[in-house]
Amino acid sequence: MIPHDILTLYTAKAVEYIFALSFLFLFIPFWKYAMGEAHPALQPAMQPARQKIADRVPDLVEWFRLARDVAYHPGHAWARAAGDGRVTVGLDDFAQKLVGPMKAIELPPVGTRLAAGEPAWRLRVDGKAVDMISPVDGVVTEVNPAVLASTDVARHDPYGEGWLLKLDAPRFEANRRGLLTGKLARTWLEEATNALRLRMAPDLGLALQDGGMPVDGIAHALDEEHWDEVAREFLLS
Amino acid sequence: MRSAAHTLTAQSSWFNEKVLLGLTPKTYVRSLLTPGNLVAGLILAIGIPVIVYRFVYGLGAATNLTQETPWGIWIGFDMLCGVALAAGGFTLASTVYIFGLKDYHAIVRPAILTAFLGYLFAVLGLLCDLGRPWNLPIPMIYSFGTTSVMFEVGWCVMLYTTVLFLEFSPAALEWLGIGEKLRQMLVKATIGLTVAAVLLSTLHQSSLGALFLLAPTKIHPLWYSPFIPVYFYISAIAAGLSMVIVESALSHRAFQERVDHHVDMAPLTVGLARAASVVLFSYCFLKLQGIADGGHWALLLTPMGYWYLFEVLGFAAVPSLLFAHGARTRNVRLVRWTAAWTVLGVIVNRLNVSVVAMNWDLVPHYVPSWMEVMTSITLVTMGVLIFRWIVNRMPILRELPQYRNAH
Amino acid sequence: MKLSRRTFFKVSGAAGAMTLASAPKASASPVRVPGAEMKAVLVDTTKCVGCRACEAACAEANGLAEPAMAGDERVFAARRATDQRTFTVVNRFEDASGSEARFVKRQCMHCVEPACASACLARALDKTPGGPVVYHPDRCLGCRYCMVACPFDVPKYEYEKAAPFVRKCTFCAERQATGLEPACTTVCPSGALTFGTRGALLEEAKRRLYAADAKYVPHIYGETEAGGTSWMYISDRPLANLGFKDNVPHVAYSSLAQPALAAVPFILTLFPPLLMGLYTFSQRRAGTEAESEEAPHA
């Protein structure tokens, strides 16, 4: 390291002070820039994690996500009250993993009257289709356009963005008594998982990732030919 | 629900449940046959014999190190980059536990795991590089070279790896479901461990830079500066933040089933980007001050000078602006690519100081041997595999329900 | 470094005593010279004839193989450096103007404050008070930081071995311990190598440099390079033309790392209160935020 001689030192120090002052001048506008928003009005409100969304947290029961704020039908559909007599329904994580990547989900149009225990919508995969049972009585008021556009959202976020229908369901409280929540739902899902696991005989060549996660389309892996029969067994349709 | 008549024949021993992810051994092994695993297996199949070869036949047989260039990529990449990119551990821990930004709690554990494995990788690289690694305990136990920056680095790294292990261990205890008292003790000690982590990281991130203070005649003047320790420290912070962005992006893609889906990564990513932007902005000015202090303006117009400008402008100034812009427009994709570029930039910087600008005018200049490169790739691969093994089993990306509010 | 302070007190003590004892004496009191009492060697390149007896003696004293091409002048065709089996080499430097070639012996410079010793984390390389920088193989980790630090590229590594050591000139520390001179200075026939104490040798060197008919370049290489070395060189040719690096800082290498090391205790002391202060502050803020959040729901 060559030490400065006194003459170049003056220049060097002058330059350094200029740089330091420039930095201080530029720092405040840069901070404002880095911390600001490009289009403040259009930004969706960000929810701090501390907010009470504990109920929205999907637990992981073995391989399947279980949302805590919905009520489950044994045929693997769920329902959530949206307030003022409206109910949101969808398919659960078990159902979408059982069936695998879907070509389409055929949803009933607005105005259709659904009955609890009766087929409500259809999951279409490669030419075959399986129905799912409606968890509640009601009239369809809204159909999720995102799901009609692509079934991926129903697969990645079945309890949130992947909702299927919104219904007018005045009898929801009564329907609710036939649905599973809390510990019961948990036990039910564990049993369903066990049933699946027992079907996966050791000598079955399942190509599992080292994630222990069954591939999408467990039904297909269990029985390629008759996967729809396996699916209907679990979906009760 | 109609259930098929069945008898419970599924084995569910502890080993099968915990280690084999609930599968039978045969099924588990078959599940490992993926293309990614085959590539990893190939790397290990070549790399591990290379490492053995290095230890049997010596450094001369395995590396291109010379008497003029005693340090190569095992120091420049394995050691320096391993430590720099593991800075996410202390930056995230201090963000959550000291600055109290609880929103980032969801990504503290993966950051600490990344840091822990990063340091393990750095230490393993060091063990490959040392000529007599079995003497490693000597400066720890009885012969203290206290005038040496290397001594301080060694001690700090050893202590910090221990701290990282302690910070990581609650996750392991939760997975095993044992040692609840110990786990609670460790959780109580979080703030103390975090203070220790920040302290030790500050010391050795900067000291790794200070190592090069003893080579003023060998490193190109643009990279040699009495402020190298400060540069390494500040760039390590930016590296840590960027690495957390990259790692969380990759983890959430690769481990979708393991992730807590209620955690929205977008605001966290954007928040980290804002911090990284300011850090990099300041870093650029620090570099400017360094040039002024050294009076090396004329050197900027040489080939090495152009490379220096590319490193500072391309890998620090540009990412600073891109991070800020990406944060302002909530463009998570832009932020993630900028983060990856910044990670690359830190690697470039560390390699520049230790390998490229070191003996920069020596002909022929050092070039790593294929065995050195293979060893580094092997160690990185092992780190990634261990990361995946742990994430697939332990509550890193998600919380176990029974411990939800316990930390 | 402890050593130079001790030496400083020694020298200034002696100087003080001398001034007190003999004020009217004509001879000047010694200026504070780093390592004045340490053993050193003055190498006068104008006297070296290139016989390489020093190389042979070194090899014998250290149990090394005989020097390459002993007695063969063609060895000087290529520039040689020391290596793990050769602790000293003599190189020949032709002069552009056609006058006599000069021969220069190179080996470890045994600096007063060695970069290698200050760099070594295990004190495997250590400066002894007598002068030699010695190597303790049992402590060495093989990190090779000494090789990075040395401005003269002296330490050499046994890369070909599975259990390698650092190798360099020992200044015949063991011989010196028994009162002998190093092997090389003992056999030098031409008087190019003069063994003595550093202070005295510096005075001798200056005497030669500034003598009436002196032809020397007025520079003693090693007087201040790297803070001062024990092996010092004088010549009638510019030393940069004799293979000597002219960019070596004129400060002890330990001073280069000093600021970084000095910061460590300060960081250790100041960071905990600083961080805990931030922690407390952020806790308070979170506390007041939570209160103001809960209030409307009360």
Side-chain angles (χ1 to χ4, degrees):
Chain A
M1 187 179 75
I2 298 130
H4 292 291
D5 65 72
I6 192 71
L7 295 174
T8 59
L9 194 57
Y10 279 116
T11 335
K13 285 299 157 196
V15 173
E16 285 174 38
Y17 276 121
I18 291 173
F19 282 150
L21 287 170
S22 321
F23 173 74
L24 291 170
F25 258 123
L26 292 171
F27 184 72
I28 296 180
F30 187 82
W31 179 274
K32 288 216 171 102
Y33 179 71
M35 300 298 156
E37 305 284 350
H39 306 286
L42 300 175
Q43 296 309 320
M46 289 213 293
Q47 303 187 318
R50 247 191 296 147
Q51 202 174 306
K52 273 285 158 218
I53 35 177
D55 291 334
R56 276 290 211 108
V57 174
D59 293 340
L60 211 59
V61 175
E62 310 283 349
W63 301 323
F64 306 104
R65 292 169 277 173
L66 185 79
R68 282 205 241 162
D69 62 336
V70 302
Y72 292 88
H73 186 275
H76 294 280
W78 56 264
R80 182 198 295 128
D84 61 290
R86 303 277 225 83
V87 168
T88 315
V89 302
L91 82 169
D92 73 357
D93 195 43
F94 183 97
Q96 70 86 357
K97 285 190 171 124
L98 182 69
V99 166
M102 295 166 267
K103 215 196 206 107
I105 303 181
E106 291 173 14
L107 298 171
V110 170
T112 317
R113 180 168 289 278
L114 297 178
E118 296 299 315
W121 57 83
R122 182 162 289 177
L123 311 175
R124 200 165 273 287
V125 179
D126 293 334
K128 292 201 200 174
V130 289
D131 289 338
M132 285 190 70
I133 305 296
S134 173
V136 297
D137 300 314
V139 177
V140 178
T141 58
E142 242 183 280
V143 165
N144 190 348
V147 168
L148 290 179
S150 159
T151 58
D152 280 345
V153 62
R155 297 186 54 233
H156 290 153
D157 193 11
Y159 302 110
E161 298 292 323
W163 59 272
L164 295 182
L165 303 169
K166 289 210 170 111
L167 305 166
D168 234 347
R171 291 192 63 240
F172 183 51
E173 282 313 308
N175 291 142
R176 228 168 182 243
R177 281 186 217 114
L179 301 176
L180 302 159
T181 54
K183 212 152 187 274
L184 271 176
R186 184 174 213 96
T187 316
W188 159 73
L189 191 55
E190 279 170 6
E191 288 196 8
T193 313
N194 265 337
L196 259 189
R197 192 188 270 142
L198 288 166
R199 277 168 171 263
M200 293 177 196
D203 54 325
L204 203 60
L206 279 177
L208 297 171
Q209 305 277 335
D210 177 40
M213 212 28 250
V215 288
D216 296 314
I218 302 173
H220 293 267
L222 284 176
D223 188 343
E224 187 59 54
E225 267 282 302
H226 307 289
W227 70 267
D228 52 332
E229 287 173 18
V230 174
R232 276 191 216 103
E233 206 184 294
F234 283 92
L235 299 177
L236 306 179
S237 60
Chain B
M1 179 184 96
R2 255 188 303 149
S3 46
H6 56 259
T7 48
L8 265 158
T9 52
Q11 307 133 283
S12 50
S13 70
W14 183 93
F15 182 77
N16 283 20
E17 279 300 312
K18 290 289 183 193
V19 178
L20 299 185
L21 299 164
L23 304 170
T24 63
K26 244 204 267 183
T27 329
Y28 176 75
V29 169
R30 244 193 240 114
S31 79
L32 294 175
L33 295 172
T34 66
N37 282 353
L38 274 149
V39 171
L42 195 65
I43 292 175
L44 293 181
I46 303 177
I48 293 182
V50 163
I51 295 177
V52 173
Y53 181 82
R54 168 260 172 280
F55 279 104
V56 171
Y57 291 101
L59 286 166
T63 68
N64 277 351
L65 300 172
T66 63
Q67 306 291 4
E68 296 89 20
T69 311
W71 281 356
I73 62 165
W74 286 348
I75 297 291
F77 178 70
D78 294 22
M79 183 84 218
L80 294 184
C81 295
V83 168
L85 297 178
F90 84 91
T91 43
L92 258 296
S94 58
T95 302
V96 173
Y97 299 120
I98 295 190
F99 297 119
L101 299 178
K102 297 271 184 264
D103 299 346
Y104 293 90
H105 190 267
I107 48 177
V108 162
R109 273 198 175 166
I112 289 181
L113 178 61
T114 310
F116 179 51
L117 292 178
Y119 273 78
L120 233 44
F121 159 67
V123 168
L124 288 175
L126 180 67
L127 289 176
C128 287
D129 183 74
L130 286 178
R132 307 178 71 80
W134 49 89
N135 278 350
L136 196 54
I138 290 184
M140 304 296 168
I141 298 176
Y142 67 86
S143 188
F144 305 124
T146 47
T147 59
S148 169
V149 176
M150 181 76 88
F151 175 78
E152 190 236 307
V153 170
W155 267 91
C156 277
V157 170
M158 184 187 76
L159 290 172
Y160 185 54
T161 312
T162 313
V163 167
L164 278 170
F165 176 70
L166 291 174
E167 287 181 309
F168 158 73
S169 51
L173 291 172
E174 287 172 21
W175 170 59
L176 293 171
I178 60 171
E180 178 59 20
K181 264 232 178 77
L182 176 64
R183 196 197 67 86
Q184 282 175 357
M185 256 175 30
L186 286 165
V187 168
K188 276 218 189 76
T190 299
I191 184 69
L193 286 174
T194 306
V195 170
V198 176
L199 189 54
L200 292 168
S201 292
T202 307
L203 287 175
H204 69 253
Q205 293 284 0
S206 51
S207 295
L208 279 173
L211 286 176
F212 296 98
L213 292 174
L214 289 192
T217 59
K218 302 187 186 181
I219 300 182
H220 188 279
L222 281 173
W223 280 271
Y224 181 87
S225 160
F227 307 114
I228 294 183
V230 177
Y231 295 155
F232 269 44
Y233 180 47
I234 302 298
S235 57
I237 296 177
L241 295 170
S242 304
M243 197 60 188
V244 171
I245 294 175
V246 169
E247 171 269 311
S248 61
L250 293 174
S251 291
H252 278 243
R253 268 267 318 270
F255 301 106
Q256 278 227 14
E257 320 302 341
R258 302 284 167 195
V259 173
D260 242 341
H261 281 268
H262 81 291
V263 172
D264 186 4
M265 283 307 298
L268 301 182
T269 307
V270 161
L272 292 172
R274 296 191 203 271
S277 166
V278 174
V279 171
L280 286 168
F281 179 74
S282 315
Y283 177 76
C284 291
F285 271 88
L286 289 177
K287 289 292 240 186
L288 212 51
Q289 295 285 24
I291 306 179
D293 181 68
H296 299 306
W297 300 104
L299 290 176
L300 288 175
L301 299 173
T302 62
M304 286 297 270
Y306 298 142
W307 179 232
Y308 179 82
L309 285 170
F310 183 70
E311 184 205 300
V312 178
L313 294 175
F315 287 111
V318 164
S320 172
L321 293 168
L322 288 179
F323 270 134
H325 179 74
R328 290 168 59 85
T329 54
R330 306 289 175 96
N331 189 340
V332 176
R333 202 150 169 271
L334 173 65
V335 164
R336 287 178 170 158
W337 279 104
T338 308
W341 180 250
T342 308
V343 165
L344 181 63
V346 172
I347 296 176
V348 165
N349 169 259
R350 297 300 192 263
L351 286 174
N352 275 348
V353 173
S354 59
V355 171
V356 175
M358 171 74 79
N359 290 335
W360 60 279
D361 52 353
L362 183 67
V363 176
H365 193 269
Y366 159 81
V367 171
S369 69
W370 75 267
M371 284 200 248
E372 290 177 82
V373 176
M374 196 63 221
T375 305
S376 299
I377 294 177
T378 307
L379 293 176
V380 173
T381 306
M382 294 200 315
V384 171
L385 291 174
I386 298 175
F387 185 88
R388 188 180 68 175
W389 195 94
I390 292 179
V391 166
N392 276 332
R393 290 159 181 75
M394 304 191 199
I396 303 287
L397 294 177
R398 61 178 165 91
E399 294 172 314
L400 288 173
Q402 58 265 42
Y403 296 105
R404 171 135 295 125
N405 292 312
H407 49 88
Chain C
M1 214 165 109
K2 259 194 285 188
L3 231 32
S4 69
R5 261 184 259 140
R6 200 196 301 165
T7 319
F8 165 69
F9 284 124
K10 254 197 187 162
V11 172
S12 58
M18 272 180 67
T19 358
L20 282 174
S22 47
K25 241 190 176 170
S27 63
S29 7
V31 186
R32 174 167 70 95
V33 167
E37 296 306 313
M38 292 180 184
K39 290 289 186 261
V41 174
L42 178 64
V43 182
D44 192 333
T45 63
T46 60
K47 299 192 175 158
C48 180
V49 298
C51 69
R52 300 170 65 212
C54 50
E55 290 188 29
C58 173
E60 201 194 314
N62 286 293
L64 300 167
E66 263 189 40
M69 293 165 78
D72 188 344
E73 282 240 321
R74 288 174 297 171
V75 74
F76 293 122
R79 194 108 325 132
R80 295 152 65 218
T82 58
D83 61 34
Q84 59 268 49
R85 287 169 286 269
T86 314
F87 291 173
T88 184
V89 289
V90 177
N91 282 311
R92 182 177 65 196
F93 292 86
E94 304 291 350
D95 183 42
S97 62
S99 22
E100 258 186 280
R102 285 280 168 257
F103 296 94
V104 181
K105 174 188 189 297
R106 295 305 300 264
Q107 68 301 305
C108 176
M109 304 288 271
H110 294 280
C111 306
V112 174
E113 285 198 38
C116 61
S118 81
C120 182
L121 81 167
R123 291 190 77 168
L125 282 164
D126 213 5
K127 176 76 173 177
T128 58
V133 178
V134 297
Y135 178 64
H136 300 285
D138 51 301
R139 301 178 195 168
C140 179
L141 273 75
C143 73
R144 308 187 302 285
Y145 189 29
C146 54
M147 297 172 71
V148 174
C150 178
F152 308 109
D153 292 321
V154 165
K156 297 292 188 289
Y157 208 57
E158 295 181 315
Y159 286 116
E160 69 281 2
K161 293 212 182 139
F165 287 120
V166 170
R167 306 280 276 162
K168 72 170 189 70
C169 156
T170 61
F171 209 1
C172 285
E174 284 169 6
R175 284 173 61 101
Q176 287 197 42
T178 63
L180 295 170
E181 279 194 21
C184 51
T185 63
T186 311
V187 302
C188 178
S190 61
L193 305 176
T194 314
F195 181 73
T197 55
R198 190 167 189 266
L201 286 175
L202 272 171
E203 287 199 15
E204 169 61 24
K206 288 177 183 165
R207 199 184 53 75
R208 291 186 207 181
L209 251 46
Y210 302 118
D213 60 345
K215 44 198 160 64
Y216 292 94
V217 166
H219 181 60
I220 306 168
Y221 193 86
E223 182 180 6
T224 51
E225 277 78 0
T229 65
S230 291
W231 278 72
M232 298 173 287
Y233 293 78
I234 52 178
S235 181
D236 55 348
R237 309 270 160 85
L239 288 145
N241 299 357
L242 299 179
F244 289 95
K245 291 195 183 154
D246 58 357
N247 61 350
V248 178
H250 294 260
V251 295
Y253 263 56
S254 48
S255 70
L256 294 176
Q258 248 319 98
L261 284 173
V264 173
F266 283 92
I267 294 181
L268 283 170
T269 316
L270 291 174
F271 263 51
L274 177 71
L275 294 169
M276 289 309 292
L278 282 168
Y279 169 70
T280 314
F281 176 67
S282 71
Q283 291 290 91
R284 293 262 171 79
R285 257 184 86 216
T288 46
E289 262 182 28
E291 279 166 23
S292 60
E293 257 185 34
E294 285 167 18
H297 305 300

